[in-house]
Amino acid sequence: MVGWGRWFLLLLFLWGLAACADAGDTAVPLPTVPAHPPAELTGDADRGEVLYQRRVLGSQGAPGCVTCHSLAPNVVLVGPSHYGLADRAAAAVPDQPAAIYLWVAIVDPNAHLTDGYEANAMYGQYAAELSAQDVADLVAYMLTLHE
């Protein structure tokens, strides 16, 4: 009888391993947006504005831009105001175009921190929540935000 119990436990263990292997279909998706914008991708500022104004983005309920950023000068909600963002982005990193700076700020928010803000203050899963086209559209809109 002892031998039968061991075999039963072994079969139960192996069944559990097989079940875990099948669970991969329900796992959180890996990031789909590349770290830098693809050269062939063109953003649409009008679509970007619509995305920017949404309170929720993506399928998992990521906070939209307006949830944390104001478009009014010197108005801080959670993150810095985006008033004049295009001008600040153009000067943020020497020899880096504003479009690349903004793209990286969305898909890797800790890459460049704004003075006064700590790492991980911004939601960090936009690369998994948005498509590359969504990010390109947001960047195109943000490039219109001049003082």
Side-chain angles (χ1 to χ4, degrees), residues 2-146:
V2 173
W4 169 248
R6 288 182 185 165
W7 281 108
F8 177 75
L9 288 175
L10 178 62
L11 283 172
L12 187 61
F13 175 74
L14 292 173
W15 176 78
L17 284 176
C20 288
D22 289 339
D25 295 340
T26 60
V28 174
L30 294 175
T32 56
V33 177
H36 294 283
E40 71 280 357
L41 193 59
T42 301
D44 180 295
D46 291 334
R47 284 194 311 245
E49 182 176 13
V50 170
L51 283 171
Y52 187 97
Q53 296 295 333
R54 287 187 186 160
R55 295 259 177 228
V56 177
L57 297 172
S59 61
Q60 301 297 315
C65 304
V66 297
T67 304
C68 300
H69 301 281
S70 168
L71 292 175
N74 302 316
V75 175
V76 174
L77 301 176
V78 176
S81 170
H82 280 176
Y83 176 81
L85 178 61
D87 304 315
R88 289 193 312 277
V93 177
D95 300 323
Q96 185 179 62
I100 292 177
Y101 174 84
L102 292 170
W103 181 283
V104 171
I106 294 168
V107 301
D108 184 10
N110 293 326
H112 304 290
L113 298 177
T114 300
D115 288 341
Y117 294 89
E118 296 180 12
N120 300 317
M122 184 168 152
Y123 180 79
Q125 298 301 314
Y126 291 114
E129 288 291 313
L130 302 174
S131 70
Q133 185 63 59
D134 290 340
V135 175
D137 294 344
L138 283 168
V139 168
Y141 172 66
M142 291 175 182
L143 289 173
T144 69
L145 301 177
H146 297 281

